[in-house]
């Protein structure tokens, strides 16, 4: 019998939650090991899901559909395709690493570990849900554990950052819920019964104006999560105040839900509106690339610098999606994985450094590489990955995004290239000020990377090199889905009257008329 792979992946983390919360006399070390063991078990199950995934099939696979609330058409409906499979894998890969990185958390350890596992469940549920209301439930549930992780274990201004994160996300969610309900009632009229099933809703016939308004509502909700300028202001505060594990989850996983939502729902449900708003979104993405890089260059706090670098990098992801080329979409999804690895590792390594120095100010560091050469080397690898050095993972994703963008919009692609240059400038400058130069006397006795910390860093570096040197296994599982979605949006009925083909040539071997 086929195993219910997706249900196991989503809900297996919850096995550890009641144990952690109800065993009140549990030693802290036991709590840490239970959380780590459960998260590693989830990773192993996700490998089973990956092994059963057919790379040649563009549609949803391993689908599980169980009616939940029949009266309103709500179902437990989950499935995986080429877009979501790697987002699931990066989630199950990074959560145990994040838990291992939080080994020195001493306050309310059982609750912290339980929230980490709960966060994994809601993130995985969001990536796999094909029922819009089910997706919304996971999307909203993510607020609770992240709010608590930031608010209880964050830095001095943690309450302000947690509340700001909560309010921004709730603001976007209001638009999303209204749009989902409108689609539900449209389905009631056209399909003979209300449904939240994405596979059925994509066949609705929507008036052009209605589709564009609904696209906007979905887009605002997801743009807050990405985040796109000007809806990004919650991110630097949340990253700065969150503990290391919170920063890793935010940067590596939570931001991807916003981009995934755009890719999965906006393009699928509203292809005409996606085409209509493509240039506007592309301009916003390029603004984010340049703005994030320039503001990162001005930061004196290392965590804020890395946070603003995320704004810039996520602009590349959105730009690749709205190029509407297979290369752009391949690069965008791969870049979501790459950003999770590189930025997640930057936060992890700097978190290790913060545990030793207790400062985030770049001006108070300097010369640390002399005392901690291995830790500095780990930061260099993450930094070089982040700026897209050939041979490391980010180069592949950014190259595909830029190729796809140049094929569809030469001007936006040309401006976006400057973001790569600016990224190299601010990251290299930050490394020079933090790790090179003359060291303060207090840093001369710093301890270098420990075995536990090395065990955290080495797997990430291995995957970075794998993607950078041999990305084929990753891209092969994306291509059929990217081709299918790009073909759906490539030629649309604009305004319901005329056909407007996108202005780019087909990929070699693709054939057909663009």
């Amino acid at each position: 019998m086929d195993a219910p792979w997706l249900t196991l992946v989503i809900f297996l983390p919850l096995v550890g939650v009641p144990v952690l919360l109800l065993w009140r006399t549990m030693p802290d070390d036991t709590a840490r090991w239970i959380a780590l063991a459960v998260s590693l078990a989830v990773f192993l199950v996700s490998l089973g899901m990956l092994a059963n995934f057919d790379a040649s099939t563009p549609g949803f696979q391993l689908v599980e559909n169980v009616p939940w609330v029949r009266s309103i058409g709500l179902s437990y409906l989950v499935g995986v395709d080429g877009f979501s499979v790697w987002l699931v894998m990066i989630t199950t890969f990074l959560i145990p690493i994040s838990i291992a990185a939080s080994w020195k958390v001493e306050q309310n350890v059982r609750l912290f570990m339980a929230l980490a596992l709960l966060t994994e469940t809601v993130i995985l549920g969001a990536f796999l849900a094909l029922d819009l209301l089910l997706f919304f439930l996971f999307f909203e549930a993510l607020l609770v554990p992240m709010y608590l992780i930031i608010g209880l274990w964050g830095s001095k201004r943690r309450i302000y950052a947690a509340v700001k994160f909560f309010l921004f996300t709730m603001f976007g969610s209001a638009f999303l819920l209204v749009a989902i309900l409108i689609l539900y009632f449209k389905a009631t009229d056209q399909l003979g019964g209300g449904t939240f099933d994405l596979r059925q809703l994509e066949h609705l016939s929507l008036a052009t104006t209605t589709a564009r308004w609904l696209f906007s509502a979905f887009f605002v909700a997801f743009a807050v999560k990405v985040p796109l300028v000007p809806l990004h202001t919650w991110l630097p505060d949340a990253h700065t105040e969150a503990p290391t594990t919170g920063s890793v989850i935010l940067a590596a996983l939570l931001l991807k839900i916003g981009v995934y939502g755009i890719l999965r729902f906006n393009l699928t449900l509203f292809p005409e509106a996606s085409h209509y708003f493509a240039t506007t979104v592309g301009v916003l993405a390029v603004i984010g690339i340049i703005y994030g890089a320039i503001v990162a260059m001005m930061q004196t706090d290392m965590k804020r610098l890395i946070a603003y670098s995320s704004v810039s990098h996520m602009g590349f992801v959105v730009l690749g999606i709205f190029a509407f080329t297979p290369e752009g979409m391949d690069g965008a999804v791969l870049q979501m994985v790459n950003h999770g690895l590189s930025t997640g590792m930057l936060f992890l390594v700097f978190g290790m450094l913060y545990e030793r120095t207790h400062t985030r100010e770049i001006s108070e560091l300097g010369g640390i590489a002399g005392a901690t050469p291995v830790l500095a080397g780990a930061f260099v690898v993450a930094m070089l990955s982040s700026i897209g050095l050939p041979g490391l993972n980010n180069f592949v994703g950014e190259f595909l995004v830029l190729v796809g963008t140049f094929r569809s919009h030469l001007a936006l692609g040309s401006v976006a290239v400057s973001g790569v240059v600016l990224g190299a400038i601010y990251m290299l400058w930050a490394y020079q000020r933090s790790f090179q130069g003359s060291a303060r006397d207090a840093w001369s006795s710093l301890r270098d990377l420990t075995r536990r910390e090395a065990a955290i860093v080495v797997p990430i570096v291995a995957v970075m090199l794998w993607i950078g040197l041999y990305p084929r296994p990753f891209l092969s599982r994306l291509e059929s889905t990217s081709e299918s979605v790009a073909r759906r949006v490539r030629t649309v009925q604009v305004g319901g009257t005329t056909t407007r083909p996108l202005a780019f040539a087909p990929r070699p071997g693709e054939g057909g008329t663009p």
Side-chain angles (χ1 to χ4, degrees):
M1 294 179 62
D2 292 334
W5 292 108
L6 303 189
T7 295
L8 289 173
V9 167
I10 294 171
F11 294 107
L12 184 56
L14 295 185
V15 170
V17 174
V19 177
L20 290 165
L21 294 180
L22 298 178
W23 184 359
R24 298 193 177 188
T25 59
M26 177 187 299
D28 288 345
D29 278 344
T30 303
R32 297 181 181 104
W33 282 109
I34 288 176
L36 181 60
V38 171
S39 62
L40 287 173
V42 177
F43 177 66
L44 292 176
V45 172
S46 69
L47 291 176
M49 176 207 71
L50 183 63
N52 283 271
F53 182 82
D54 182 1
S56 63
T57 303
F60 295 109
Q61 303 178 40
L62 306 177
V63 175
E64 300 172 36
N65 188 4
V66 179
W68 187 3
V69 185
R70 294 180 182 273
S71 59
I72 63 171
L74 173 62
S75 298
Y76 171 74
L77 174 61
V78 293
V80 65
D81 68 352
F83 290 155
S84 54
V85 65
W86 289 120
L87 297 175
V88 170
M89 293 307 301
I90 190 65
T91 301
T92 62
F93 176 71
L94 285 178
I95 289 294
I97 289 175
S98 300
I99 290 173
S102 64
W103 219 253
K104 291 191 175 181
V105 169
E106 297 179 353
Q107 176 189 0
N108 295 326
V109 175
R110 292 186 300 112
L111 178 59
F112 185 91
M113 296 300 168
L115 290 173
L117 294 176
L118 177 60
T119 302
E120 183 173 22
T121 283
V122 295
I123 291 174
L124 291 169
F127 285 144
L128 294 172
L130 301 181
D131 183 290
L132 264 67
L133 189 55
L134 180 66
F135 169 83
F136 181 80
L137 294 176
F138 282 120
F139 188 78
E140 286 297 279
L142 184 59
L143 284 173
V144 177
M146 285 309 305
Y147 174 84
L148 292 174
I149 288 174
I150 297 171
L152 294 179
W153 289 275
S155 302
K156 183 169 59 176
R157 300 177 71 242
R158 59 186 181 274
I159 301 301
Y160 167 79
V163 170
K164 191 173 183 179
F165 159 75
F166 192 94
L167 292 178
F168 265 73
T169 303
M170 285 294 292
F171 166 78
S173 298
F175 290 93
L176 180 61
L177 180 59
V178 171
I180 290 173
L181 291 176
I182 291 174
L183 287 174
Y184 174 81
F185 290 117
K186 291 289 183 182
T188 303
D189 295 336
Q190 296 183 26
L191 305 179
T195 182
F196 298 101
D197 188 336
L198 174 66
R199 301 169 302 174
Q200 298 183 43
L201 293 175
E202 67 177 296
H203 298 297
L204 290 178
S205 177
L206 299 172
T208 301
T209 303
T210 302
R212 291 176 182 177
W213 278 110
L214 291 174
F215 173 95
S216 301
F218 273 78
F219 184 79
V220 168
F222 298 138
V224 171
K225 274 284 202 299
V226 172
L228 277 177
V229 176
L231 302 173
H232 68 287
T233 58
W234 65 269
L235 182 66
D237 293 313
H239 271 317
T240 303
E241 304 303 325
T244 298
T245 298
S247 294
V248 173
I249 292 174
L250 278 170
L253 306 176
L254 185 141
L255 306 188
K256 310 310 180 292
I257 294 177
V259 183
Y260 172 78
I262 293 172
L263 190 62
R264 168 66 65 232
F265 300 110
N266 283 77
L267 269 60
T268 300
L269 296 172
F270 317 111
E272 188 277 338
S274 298
H275 195 183
Y276 178 79
F277 288 110
T279 301
T280 301
V281 176
V283 170
L284 286 175
V286 170
I287 290 173
I289 291 170
I290 306 302
Y291 170 84
I294 292 175
V295 177
M297 200 179 304
M298 301 166 60
Q299 297 306 306
T300 61
D301 183 307
M302 181 64 84
K303 289 191 75 173
R304 291 186 74 87
L305 184 150
I306 301 172
Y308 277 107
S309 77
S310 290
V311 175
S312 183
H313 285 298
M314 296 309 290
F316 276 105
V317 176
V318 175
L319 184 64
I321 291 173
F322 281 85
F324 299 144
T325 60
E327 296 92 344
M329 290 186 183
D330 286 349
V333 178
L334 186 61
Q335 196 60 10
M336 283 193 261
V337 175
N338 292 336
H339 177 265
L341 294 169
S342 59
T343 304
M345 184 167 164
L346 284 171
F347 276 119
L348 285 169
V349 175
F350 187 75
M352 297 169 188
L353 182 60
Y354 180 79
E355 290 176 356
R356 292 160 167 79
T357 62
H358 302 290
T359 181
R360 299 192 302 259
E361 290 297 319
I362 297 174
S363 61
E364 296 179 4
L365 300 172
I368 291 178
T372 60
V374 180
L375 189 149
F379 189 90
V380 168
V381 173
M383 174 192 69
L384 294 176
S385 169
S386 181
I387 65 180
L389 182 75
L392 291 172
N393 54 324
N394 272 39
F395 173 78
V396 181
E398 288 185 356
F399 180 79
L400 287 171
V401 166
L402 290 173
V403 168
T405 303
F406 273 114
R407 292 180 64 212
S408 62
H409 206 303
L410 181 61
L412 290 179
S414 300
V415 177
V417 170
S418 63
V420 178
V421 179
L422 292 172
I425 292 172
Y426 67 72
M427 289 305 301
L428 289 169
W429 191 29
Y431 172 77
Q432 187 272 329
R433 288 180 291 165
S434 300
F435 289 89
Q436 299 299 313
S438 56
R440 294 173 54 186
D441 293 338
W443 306 151
S444 60
S445 59
L446 290 181
R447 182 180 55 177
D448 207 348
L449 216 63
T450 66
R451 291 182 180 179
R452 176 183 64 84
E453 292 168 337
I456 292 169
V457 168
V458 168
I460 302 178
V461 174
V463 178
M464 285 178 172
L465 290 170
W466 183 10
I467 297 175
L469 297 174
Y470 186 55
R472 185 61 190 166
F474 298 85
L475 293 173
S476 64
R477 289 165 172 79
L478 288 172
E479 288 174 347
S480 60
T481 304
S482 296
E483 294 277 0
S484 176
V485 174
R487 190 180 304 116
R488 175 178 173 81
V489 188
R490 185 173 302 156
T491 303
V492 295
Q493 294 294 320
V494 178
T497 55
T498 60
T499 301
R500 180 188 300 173
L502 295 183
F504 60 81
R507 184 157 63 182
E510 181 181 338
T513 302

